[in-house]
Amino acid sequence: MSRAVQCPSCGAQHEVQNPGITALGCRYCHTLIYWDEQAVHDSGRKALLDPPSSALRVGEPCTLNRQHHQVLGRVRYTYGAGVWDEWFLESPRGEIVWLTEDEKEFAVEKPVSADPRLPPFEQLRVGATVTVHQRPFLVEELGRATCQGVEGQVPWLVLPDEVYPFADLASPDGKISLGVEYDQQGAPSLFLGEFVERGALLVQGGPPFPEQVATGVGVRCAGCGAPIEHRFPPETSMLVCPQCGAGLQLSATQTKVITRNSEQVSFTLAIGDVCTFDKLKYEVVGRLRYVEEGVYVSDEYLLWADQQGYLWLEESNRHWVLNRRSHQAPGVDIFSMLKPKDRIKIGATSFQFVESGTEELRYVDGALPWLAQVGERFQYADLVAPPRSYCAERSVNGDSQEIEFFAGRYVPVEEMERACGKKLSRSLGVAAAQPFIRTRVQTALMWIGILFTLLNGALCGMASTRGGRVVLREQFSAEQYRAEALSQPFQIRFRPSVVAIRSRAPVDNAWVSTQLGIVNANDEVLFDTEDDVSYYHGVEGGESWSEGSQSSTRYIRIDQPGWYRLLVYGQAGTGEAPAASGGPTLAIEVSEGVMPGRYFWWMIVLSALYPLKEILRKYSHEKRRIPSDDDDDDD
């Protein structure tokens, strides 16, 4: 059943179809009027609203979740950091759907009953977790919003210029929002919302944000009077004059100076530069410089695309990180409960805490969808899971307090050069979100080295357990080896064969030195070598010591199978000079088909060099990526 409503101020007629509507903004004189059962009332308030940033318009249709809706009205609120719009739609069944729009994000909200356990506005703290209706919610923003005005038809009376304390909360997974508005008596009204997925809201068959870039023509600096010709996005709240550095707050009725740059700053990217990420072109519309403790500098570029909205590109020490807003929240207060290298799970990803601190805005230019002032400060906390990053920022702006979350990824300088079409300086040091990268060749070489190390390790183990076939065991007295002796014949069966000659003597603070030769069946010496067995021990300064061994092994190679004998000639003694006679008995064992372990040890060392280098390179990277407290103290 429709109702005809006449504006008490200008007499204009308005037709109201939905019985849930109780107030409207006159489209002719902009007076807010409302009614009850007795009469239509003039609120005495007028307001001229700035145009919305989206393509939604009062009185026109739209499609939400594949259902046709009619846009009935809009209320705009302003707060310390910017503005948001609340749209009221009529569904096909005549129900009023409440749709909020904030920085190119939409959420459908529904009123829910108040929870007596919800703290009063004064007791809420940004970043804290509160339980509402047995569900945890993180307080993301606190502030006092001012109603700028009403356009079209709305289901309740909202007076322009009225101030409302509000709190924005979200579930830890970021899928559900909870809005809380407090009236003048402090009573809360709760609204549970779900974010609208991209493509679920259509206006005239297309996306809610049309392809457009507003022009700066007609905007004149309130500081120096110069015209500003730069293009800027339609939702811009702040514009910086490139002539005098004045930061201008934009509105439909006036432009005023709210901040001013006191210094000139050079950036890597310029306003208007285009960067391409994921095949989408973004324009640099804003630049900000932050300084921490007066020393550490980081630059932030605000990127904008007509359909995608905003991205934040951070540059620090010539490293680049691309961020976008996230509704995923941590389950703890990361500003006070974590220390470097602590791990925390956010969503399905385990992040490592890097650091927290306070940064100060030193310079800003371009166009921003929020109000920024030189000198303002905010707290930050950084976490990483290379190449992914996660950042929380907590700020105070007038009566508003806010915590925002950003999910990002590390952008290598080579990708940045392709994205912006510029030659960039190489990065300095290692960034916290910078992943350790191996090329395919390095990875292949490392695994080949590991494979050969394991193979030679296995062969070395086999060599230690495989003594070969014993072909000769014989003992020689001192008289025999002093006079030169020949062993019994022994047979070598394999071609070729590695032969081990093991010498053992019960020396005690003494030595035996021998010359060993292999003699063939024709009495020809094919091979000779020297071998020493010595063992000394004692006590010096109250401590025991020993050196040498009572056994020794020499390896030779015999190429031809056949019968051979061992020629032994030696001397023995206790000091530097050999004794004239006597000496311990020398036991000799000859084995064929042995595997000398020392050769495999050398191969293990050579094979492990490259894998070890790669392990140390990664260790060094990780050490520099997140320095420990001890490293900071050393600096």
PDB file of all heavy atoms in Angstrom, residues 378-409:
ATOM      1  N   PHE A 378      51.349   5.718  14.097  1.00  0.00           N
ATOM      2  CA  PHE A 378      50.566   4.497  14.254  1.00  0.00           C
ATOM      3  C   PHE A 378      51.492   3.357  14.644  1.00  0.00           C
ATOM      4  O   PHE A 378      52.695   3.372  14.369  1.00  0.00           O
ATOM      5  CB  PHE A 378      49.802   4.149  12.971  1.00  0.00           C
ATOM      6  CG  PHE A 378      50.681   3.705  11.836  1.00  0.00           C
ATOM      7  CD1 PHE A 378      50.983   2.369  11.647  1.00  0.00           C
ATOM      8  CD2 PHE A 378      51.220   4.632  10.951  1.00  0.00           C
ATOM      9  CE1 PHE A 378      51.791   1.955  10.614  1.00  0.00           C
ATOM     10  CE2 PHE A 378      52.036   4.231   9.910  1.00  0.00           C
ATOM     11  CZ  PHE A 378      52.322   2.888   9.734  1.00  0.00           C
ATOM     12  N   GLN A 379      50.916   2.367  15.317  1.00  0.00           N
ATOM     13  CA  GLN A 379      51.658   1.160  15.691  1.00  0.00           C
ATOM     14  C   GLN A 379      51.508   0.111  14.597  1.00  0.00           C
ATOM     15  O   GLN A 379      50.463   0.023  13.944  1.00  0.00           O
ATOM     16  CB  GLN A 379      51.120   0.592  17.006  1.00  0.00           C
ATOM     17  CG  GLN A 379      51.433   1.426  18.232  1.00  0.00           C
ATOM     18  CD  GLN A 379      50.857   0.769  19.469  1.00  0.00           C
ATOM     19  OE1 GLN A 379      49.662   0.804  19.697  1.00  0.00           O
ATOM     20  NE2 GLN A 379      51.713   0.161  20.273  1.00  0.00           N
ATOM     21  N   TYR A 380      52.553  -0.685  14.424  1.00  0.00           N
ATOM     22  CA  TYR A 380      52.497  -1.762  13.443  1.00  0.00           C
ATOM     23  C   TYR A 380      53.072  -3.036  14.057  1.00  0.00           C
ATOM     24  O   TYR A 380      53.854  -3.006  15.006  1.00  0.00           O
ATOM     25  CB  TYR A 380      53.286  -1.392  12.178  1.00  0.00           C
ATOM     26  CG  TYR A 380      54.786  -1.423  12.369  1.00  0.00           C
ATOM     27  CD1 TYR A 380      55.515  -2.588  12.151  1.00  0.00           C
ATOM     28  CD2 TYR A 380      55.475  -0.285  12.806  1.00  0.00           C
ATOM     29  CE1 TYR A 380      56.887  -2.620  12.353  1.00  0.00           C
ATOM     30  CE2 TYR A 380      56.843  -0.317  13.013  1.00  0.00           C
ATOM     31  CZ  TYR A 380      57.542  -1.485  12.779  1.00  0.00           C
ATOM     32  OH  TYR A 380      58.889  -1.524  13.000  1.00  0.00           O
ATOM     33  N   ALA A 381      52.669  -4.158  13.497  1.00  0.00           N
ATOM     34  CA  ALA A 381      53.230  -5.467  13.853  1.00  0.00           C
ATOM     35  C   ALA A 381      53.332  -6.270  12.572  1.00  0.00           C
ATOM     36  O   ALA A 381      52.347  -6.392  11.827  1.00  0.00           O
ATOM     37  CB  ALA A 381      52.347  -6.182  14.872  1.00  0.00           C
ATOM     38  N   ASP A 382      54.529  -6.801  12.300  1.00  0.00           N
ATOM     39  CA  ASP A 382      54.790  -7.528  11.058  1.00  0.00           C
ATOM     40  C   ASP A 382      55.007  -9.012  11.335  1.00  0.00           C
ATOM     41  O   ASP A 382      55.732  -9.388  12.267  1.00  0.00           O
ATOM     42  CB  ASP A 382      56.032  -6.975  10.353  1.00  0.00           C
ATOM     43  CG  ASP A 382      55.780  -5.605   9.741  1.00  0.00           C
ATOM     44  OD1 ASP A 382      54.599  -5.298   9.463  1.00  0.00           O
ATOM     45  OD2 ASP A 382      56.746  -4.850   9.534  1.00  0.00           O
ATOM     46  N   LEU A 383      54.396  -9.845  10.507  1.00  0.00           N
ATOM     47  CA  LEU A 383      54.588 -11.291  10.548  1.00  0.00           C
ATOM     48  C   LEU A 383      54.847 -11.778   9.123  1.00  0.00           C
ATOM     49  O   LEU A 383      54.383 -11.152   8.163  1.00  0.00           O
ATOM     50  CB  LEU A 383      53.372 -12.014  11.128  1.00  0.00           C
ATOM     51  CG  LEU A 383      52.961 -11.648  12.561  1.00  0.00           C
ATOM     52  CD1 LEU A 383      51.931 -10.537  12.562  1.00  0.00           C
ATOM     53  CD2 LEU A 383      52.409 -12.865  13.292  1.00  0.00           C
ATOM     54  N   VAL A 384      55.558 -12.883   8.985  1.00  0.00           N
ATOM     55  CA  VAL A 384      55.895 -13.379   7.655  1.00  0.00           C
ATOM     56  C   VAL A 384      55.798 -14.894   7.594  1.00  0.00           C
ATOM     57  O   VAL A 384      55.978 -15.587   8.594  1.00  0.00           O
ATOM     58  CB  VAL A 384      57.313 -12.947   7.216  1.00  0.00           C
ATOM     59  CG1 VAL A 384      57.410 -11.445   7.061  1.00  0.00           C
ATOM     60  CG2 VAL A 384      58.366 -13.452   8.190  1.00  0.00           C
ATOM     61  N   ALA A 385      55.499 -15.379   6.398  1.00  0.00           N
ATOM     62  CA  ALA A 385      55.616 -16.783   6.008  1.00  0.00           C
ATOM     63  C   ALA A 385      56.063 -16.733   4.556  1.00  0.00           C
ATOM     64  O   ALA A 385      55.251 -16.880   3.650  1.00  0.00           O
ATOM     65  CB  ALA A 385      54.288 -17.515   6.150  1.00  0.00           C
ATOM     66  N   PRO A 386      57.378 -16.428   4.351  1.00  0.00           N
ATOM     67  CA  PRO A 386      57.876 -16.090   3.007  1.00  0.00           C
ATOM     68  C   PRO A 386      57.342 -17.022   1.918  1.00  0.00           C
ATOM     69  O   PRO A 386      57.282 -18.233   2.125  1.00  0.00           O
ATOM     70  CB  PRO A 386      59.390 -16.233   3.159  1.00  0.00           C
ATOM     71  CG  PRO A 386      59.653 -15.973   4.602  1.00  0.00           C
ATOM     72  CD  PRO A 386      58.467 -16.564   5.321  1.00  0.00           C
ATOM     73  N   PRO A 387      56.877 -16.424   0.782  1.00  0.00           N
ATOM     74  CA  PRO A 387      56.939 -14.991   0.440  1.00  0.00           C
ATOM     75  C   PRO A 387      55.744 -14.196   0.935  1.00  0.00           C
ATOM     76  O   PRO A 387      55.572 -13.045   0.541  1.00  0.00           O
ATOM     77  CB  PRO A 387      56.964 -15.036  -1.088  1.00  0.00           C
ATOM     78  CG  PRO A 387      56.116 -16.219  -1.412  1.00  0.00           C
ATOM     79  CD  PRO A 387      56.406 -17.247  -0.340  1.00  0.00           C
ATOM     80  N   ARG A 388      54.915 -14.764   1.792  1.00  0.00           N
ATOM     81  CA  ARG A 388      53.725 -14.073   2.267  1.00  0.00           C
ATOM     82  C   ARG A 388      54.064 -13.223   3.486  1.00  0.00           C
ATOM     83  O   ARG A 388      54.975 -13.535   4.257  1.00  0.00           O
ATOM     84  CB  ARG A 388      52.621 -15.072   2.598  1.00  0.00           C
ATOM     85  CG  ARG A 388      52.186 -15.928   1.425  1.00  0.00           C
ATOM     86  CD  ARG A 388      51.138 -16.943   1.813  1.00  0.00           C
ATOM     87  NE  ARG A 388      49.919 -16.299   2.284  1.00  0.00           N
ATOM     88  CZ  ARG A 388      48.852 -16.966   2.713  1.00  0.00           C
ATOM     89  NH1 ARG A 388      48.886 -18.292   2.762  1.00  0.00           N
ATOM     90  NH2 ARG A 388      47.783 -16.329   3.131  1.00  0.00           N
ATOM     91  N   SER A 389      53.311 -12.154   3.646  1.00  0.00           N
ATOM     92  CA  SER A 389      53.477 -11.280   4.811  1.00  0.00           C
ATOM     93  C   SER A 389      52.102 -10.939   5.370  1.00  0.00           C
ATOM     94  O   SER A 389      51.080 -11.053   4.681  1.00  0.00           O
ATOM     95  CB  SER A 389      54.225  -9.996   4.433  1.00  0.00           C
ATOM     96  OG  SER A 389      53.446  -9.206   3.543  1.00  0.00           O
ATOM     97  N   TYR A 390      52.096 -10.532   6.627  1.00  0.00           N
ATOM     98  CA  TYR A 390      50.859 -10.139   7.291  1.00  0.00           C
ATOM     99  C   TYR A 390      51.200  -8.984   8.225  1.00  0.00           C
ATOM    100  O   TYR A 390      52.163  -9.061   8.988  1.00  0.00           O
ATOM    101  CB  TYR A 390      50.282 -11.316   8.080  1.00  0.00           C
ATOM    102  CG  TYR A 390      48.964 -11.034   8.762  1.00  0.00           C
ATOM    103  CD1 TYR A 390      47.759 -11.240   8.099  1.00  0.00           C
ATOM    104  CD2 TYR A 390      48.918 -10.567  10.068  1.00  0.00           C
ATOM    105  CE1 TYR A 390      46.546 -10.998   8.722  1.00  0.00           C
ATOM    106  CE2 TYR A 390      47.716 -10.321  10.706  1.00  0.00           C
ATOM    107  CZ  TYR A 390      46.531 -10.540  10.030  1.00  0.00           C
ATOM    108  OH  TYR A 390      45.336 -10.295  10.650  1.00  0.00           O
ATOM    109  N   CYS A 391      50.421  -7.923   8.132  1.00  0.00           N
ATOM    110  CA  CYS A 391      50.724  -6.720   8.917  1.00  0.00           C
ATOM    111  C   CYS A 391      49.456  -6.217   9.594  1.00  0.00           C
ATOM    112  O   CYS A 391      48.375  -6.221   8.999  1.00  0.00           O
ATOM    113  CB  CYS A 391      51.316  -5.631   8.007  1.00  0.00           C
ATOM    114  SG  CYS A 391      51.678  -4.085   8.880  1.00  0.00           S
ATOM    115  N   ALA A 392      49.603  -5.829  10.837  1.00  0.00           N
ATOM    116  CA  ALA A 392      48.521  -5.176  11.573  1.00  0.00           C
ATOM    117  C   ALA A 392      48.942  -3.752  11.887  1.00  0.00           C
ATOM    118  O   ALA A 392      50.084  -3.506  12.287  1.00  0.00           O
ATOM    119  CB  ALA A 392      48.211  -5.932  12.863  1.00  0.00           C
ATOM    120  N   GLU A 393      48.026  -2.800  11.680  1.00  0.00           N
ATOM    121  CA  GLU A 393      48.302  -1.391  11.955  1.00  0.00           C
ATOM    122  C   GLU A 393      47.218  -0.844  12.877  1.00  0.00           C
ATOM    123  O   GLU A 393      46.027  -0.985  12.597  1.00  0.00           O
ATOM    124  CB  GLU A 393      48.353  -0.573  10.662  1.00  0.00           C
ATOM    125  CG  GLU A 393      49.501  -0.957   9.747  1.00  0.00           C
ATOM    126  CD  GLU A 393      49.559  -0.085   8.497  1.00  0.00           C
ATOM    127  OE1 GLU A 393      48.682   0.796   8.351  1.00  0.00           O
ATOM    128  OE2 GLU A 393      50.459  -0.294   7.664  1.00  0.00           O
ATOM    129  N   ARG A 394      47.644  -0.239  13.977  1.00  0.00           N
ATOM    130  CA  ARG A 394      46.714   0.321  14.950  1.00  0.00           C
ATOM    131  C   ARG A 394      46.948   1.817  15.033  1.00  0.00           C
ATOM    132  O   ARG A 394      48.085   2.268  15.252  1.00  0.00           O
ATOM    133  CB  ARG A 394      46.917  -0.339  16.305  1.00  0.00           C
ATOM    134  CG  ARG A 394      45.879   0.039  17.351  1.00  0.00           C
ATOM    135  CD  ARG A 394      45.876  -0.942  18.502  1.00  0.00           C
ATOM    136  NE  ARG A 394      47.155  -1.015  19.198  1.00  0.00           N
ATOM    137  CZ  ARG A 394      47.426  -1.899  20.146  1.00  0.00           C
ATOM    138  NH1 ARG A 394      46.522  -2.798  20.491  1.00  0.00           N
ATOM    139  NH2 ARG A 394      48.600  -1.905  20.750  1.00  0.00           N
ATOM    140  N   SER A 395      45.887   2.601  14.827  1.00  0.00           N
ATOM    141  CA  SER A 395      46.049   4.048  14.753  1.00  0.00           C
ATOM    142  C   SER A 395      44.927   4.751  15.506  1.00  0.00           C
ATOM    143  O   SER A 395      43.866   4.179  15.776  1.00  0.00           O
ATOM    144  CB  SER A 395      46.049   4.516  13.290  1.00  0.00           C
ATOM    145  OG  SER A 395      44.824   4.183  12.660  1.00  0.00           O
ATOM    146  N   VAL A 396      45.194   5.996  15.837  1.00  0.00           N
ATOM    147  CA  VAL A 396      44.214   6.880  16.482  1.00  0.00           C
ATOM    148  C   VAL A 396      44.098   8.128  15.633  1.00  0.00           C
ATOM    149  O   VAL A 396      45.103   8.776  15.299  1.00  0.00           O
ATOM    150  CB  VAL A 396      44.631   7.243  17.920  1.00  0.00           C
ATOM    151  CG1 VAL A 396      43.627   8.214  18.533  1.00  0.00           C
ATOM    152  CG2 VAL A 396      44.757   5.994  18.776  1.00  0.00           C
ATOM    153  N   ASN A 397      42.874   8.461  15.228  1.00  0.00           N
ATOM    154  CA  ASN A 397      42.622   9.642  14.396  1.00  0.00           C
ATOM    155  C   ASN A 397      41.463  10.411  14.994  1.00  0.00           C
ATOM    156  O   ASN A 397      40.300  10.081  14.763  1.00  0.00           O
ATOM    157  CB  ASN A 397      42.317   9.213  12.955  1.00  0.00           C
ATOM    158  CG  ASN A 397      42.331  10.396  11.999  1.00  0.00           C
ATOM    159  OD1 ASN A 397      41.970  11.498  12.350  1.00  0.00           O
ATOM    160  ND2 ASN A 397      42.758  10.135  10.773  1.00  0.00           N
ATOM    161  N   GLY A 398      41.796  11.421  15.783  1.00  0.00           N
ATOM    162  CA  GLY A 398      40.742  12.175  16.460  1.00  0.00           C
ATOM    163  C   GLY A 398      40.011  11.279  17.444  1.00  0.00           C
ATOM    164  O   GLY A 398      40.606  10.694  18.353  1.00  0.00           O
ATOM    165  N   ASP A 399      38.672  11.160  17.270  1.00  0.00           N
ATOM    166  CA  ASP A 399      37.872  10.305  18.146  1.00  0.00           C
ATOM    167  C   ASP A 399      37.874   8.855  17.694  1.00  0.00           C
ATOM    168  O   ASP A 399      37.273   8.005  18.360  1.00  0.00           O
ATOM    169  CB  ASP A 399      36.425  10.816  18.182  1.00  0.00           C
ATOM    170  CG  ASP A 399      36.316  12.143  18.915  1.00  0.00           C
ATOM    171  OD1 ASP A 399      37.178  12.407  19.770  1.00  0.00           O
ATOM    172  OD2 ASP A 399      35.386  12.907  18.613  1.00  0.00           O
ATOM    173  N   SER A 400      38.528   8.563  16.573  1.00  0.00           N
ATOM    174  CA  SER A 400      38.479   7.212  16.016  1.00  0.00           C
ATOM    175  C   SER A 400      39.746   6.435  16.327  1.00  0.00           C
ATOM    176  O   SER A 400      40.848   6.978  16.268  1.00  0.00           O
ATOM    177  CB  SER A 400      38.271   7.270  14.495  1.00  0.00           C
ATOM    178  OG  SER A 400      37.046   7.881  14.171  1.00  0.00           O
ATOM    179  N   GLN A 401      39.567   5.168  16.653  1.00  0.00           N
ATOM    180  CA  GLN A 401      40.666   4.222  16.807  1.00  0.00           C
ATOM    181  C   GLN A 401      40.399   3.058  15.854  1.00  0.00           C
ATOM    182  O   GLN A 401      39.267   2.612  15.731  1.00  0.00           O
ATOM    183  CB  GLN A 401      40.757   3.698  18.237  1.00  0.00           C
ATOM    184  CG  GLN A 401      40.914   4.775  19.293  1.00  0.00           C
ATOM    185  CD  GLN A 401      40.882   4.181  20.676  1.00  0.00           C
ATOM    186  OE1 GLN A 401      41.506   3.145  20.935  1.00  0.00           O
ATOM    187  NE2 GLN A 401      40.140   4.806  21.574  1.00  0.00           N
ATOM    188  N   GLU A 402      41.448   2.596  15.220  1.00  0.00           N
ATOM    189  CA  GLU A 402      41.239   1.580  14.195  1.00  0.00           C
ATOM    190  C   GLU A 402      42.415   0.614  14.151  1.00  0.00           C
ATOM    191  O   GLU A 402      43.563   1.001  14.368  1.00  0.00           O
ATOM    192  CB  GLU A 402      41.062   2.245  12.826  1.00  0.00           C
ATOM    193  CG  GLU A 402      40.738   1.294  11.700  1.00  0.00           C
ATOM    194  CD  GLU A 402      40.516   2.002  10.381  1.00  0.00           C
ATOM    195  OE1 GLU A 402      40.904   3.190  10.269  1.00  0.00           O
ATOM    196  OE2 GLU A 402      39.955   1.388   9.458  1.00  0.00           O
ATOM    197  N   ILE A 403      42.126  -0.644  13.878  1.00  0.00           N
ATOM    198  CA  ILE A 403      43.153  -1.627  13.593  1.00  0.00           C
ATOM    199  C   ILE A 403      42.829  -2.230  12.234  1.00  0.00           C
ATOM    200  O   ILE A 403      41.677  -2.599  11.962  1.00  0.00           O
ATOM    201  CB  ILE A 403      43.244  -2.721  14.684  1.00  0.00           C
ATOM    202  CG1 ILE A 403      44.427  -3.647  14.406  1.00  0.00           C
ATOM    203  CG2 ILE A 403      41.958  -3.496  14.809  1.00  0.00           C
ATOM    204  CD1 ILE A 403      44.739  -4.592  15.542  1.00  0.00           C
ATOM    205  N   GLU A 404      43.807  -2.252  11.362  1.00  0.00           N
ATOM    206  CA  GLU A 404      43.631  -2.782  10.019  1.00  0.00           C
ATOM    207  C   GLU A 404      44.634  -3.903   9.790  1.00  0.00           C
ATOM    208  O   GLU A 404      45.743  -3.884  10.342  1.00  0.00           O
ATOM    209  CB  GLU A 404      43.829  -1.694   8.962  1.00  0.00           C
ATOM    210  CG  GLU A 404      42.804  -0.590   9.009  1.00  0.00           C
ATOM    211  CD  GLU A 404      43.050   0.462   7.948  1.00  0.00           C
ATOM    212  OE1 GLU A 404      44.048   1.193   8.065  1.00  0.00           O
ATOM    213  OE2 GLU A 404      42.263   0.532   6.995  1.00  0.00           O
ATOM    214  N   PHE A 405      44.243  -4.851   8.953  1.00  0.00           N
ATOM    215  CA  PHE A 405      45.099  -5.989   8.640  1.00  0.00           C
ATOM    216  C   PHE A 405      45.370  -6.015   7.140  1.00  0.00           C
ATOM    217  O   PHE A 405      44.479  -5.748   6.328  1.00  0.00           O
ATOM    218  CB  PHE A 405      44.447  -7.293   9.091  1.00  0.00           C
ATOM    219  CG  PHE A 405      44.078  -7.306  10.553  1.00  0.00           C
ATOM    220  CD1 PHE A 405      42.763  -7.208  10.956  1.00  0.00           C
ATOM    221  CD2 PHE A 405      45.069  -7.390  11.525  1.00  0.00           C
ATOM    222  CE1 PHE A 405      42.432  -7.210  12.294  1.00  0.00           C
ATOM    223  CE2 PHE A 405      44.751  -7.391  12.867  1.00  0.00           C
ATOM    224  CZ  PHE A 405      43.427  -7.305  13.253  1.00  0.00           C
ATOM    225  N   PHE A 406      46.602  -6.339   6.801  1.00  0.00           N
ATOM    226  CA  PHE A 406      47.009  -6.383   5.404  1.00  0.00           C
ATOM    227  C   PHE A 406      47.721  -7.703   5.132  1.00  0.00           C
ATOM    228  O   PHE A 406      48.631  -8.088   5.874  1.00  0.00           O
ATOM    229  CB  PHE A 406      47.944  -5.221   5.067  1.00  0.00           C
ATOM    230  CG  PHE A 406      47.314  -3.869   5.205  1.00  0.00           C
ATOM    231  CD1 PHE A 406      47.322  -3.204   6.430  1.00  0.00           C
ATOM    232  CD2 PHE A 406      46.698  -3.259   4.131  1.00  0.00           C
ATOM    233  CE1 PHE A 406      46.740  -1.960   6.570  1.00  0.00           C
ATOM    234  CE2 PHE A 406      46.109  -2.014   4.260  1.00  0.00           C
ATOM    235  CZ  PHE A 406      46.129  -1.358   5.476  1.00  0.00           C
ATOM    236  N   ALA A 407      47.292  -8.379   4.084  1.00  0.00           N
ATOM    237  CA  ALA A 407      47.965  -9.595   3.621  1.00  0.00           C
ATOM    238  C   ALA A 407      48.758  -9.234   2.370  1.00  0.00           C
ATOM    239  O   ALA A 407      48.239  -8.572   1.470  1.00  0.00           O
ATOM    240  CB  ALA A 407      46.948 -10.683   3.310  1.00  0.00           C
ATOM    241  N   GLY A 408      50.015  -9.646   2.340  1.00  0.00           N
ATOM    242  CA  GLY A 408      50.859  -9.249   1.222  1.00  0.00           C
ATOM    243  C   GLY A 408      51.761 -10.369   0.760  1.00  0.00           C
ATOM    244  O   GLY A 408      51.774 -11.473   1.316  1.00  0.00           O
ATOM    245  N   ARG A 409      52.534 -10.065  -0.260  1.00  0.00           N
ATOM    246  CA  ARG A 409      53.536 -10.998  -0.769  1.00  0.00           C
ATOM    247  C   ARG A 409      54.767 -10.215  -1.190  1.00  0.00           C
ATOM    248  O   ARG A 409      54.673  -9.066  -1.639  1.00  0.00           O
ATOM    249  CB  ARG A 409      53.004 -11.814  -1.948  1.00  0.00           C
ATOM    250  CG  ARG A 409      52.752 -11.017  -3.230  1.00  0.00           C
ATOM    251  CD  ARG A 409      52.403 -11.930  -4.388  1.00  0.00           C
ATOM    252  NE  ARG A 409      52.151 -11.181  -5.616  1.00  0.00           N
ATOM    253  CZ  ARG A 409      53.088 -10.851  -6.492  1.00  0.00           C
ATOM    254  NH1 ARG A 409      54.350 -11.184  -6.261  1.00  0.00           N
ATOM    255  NH2 ARG A 409      52.792 -10.179  -7.595  1.00  0.00           N
TER     256      ARG A 409
END
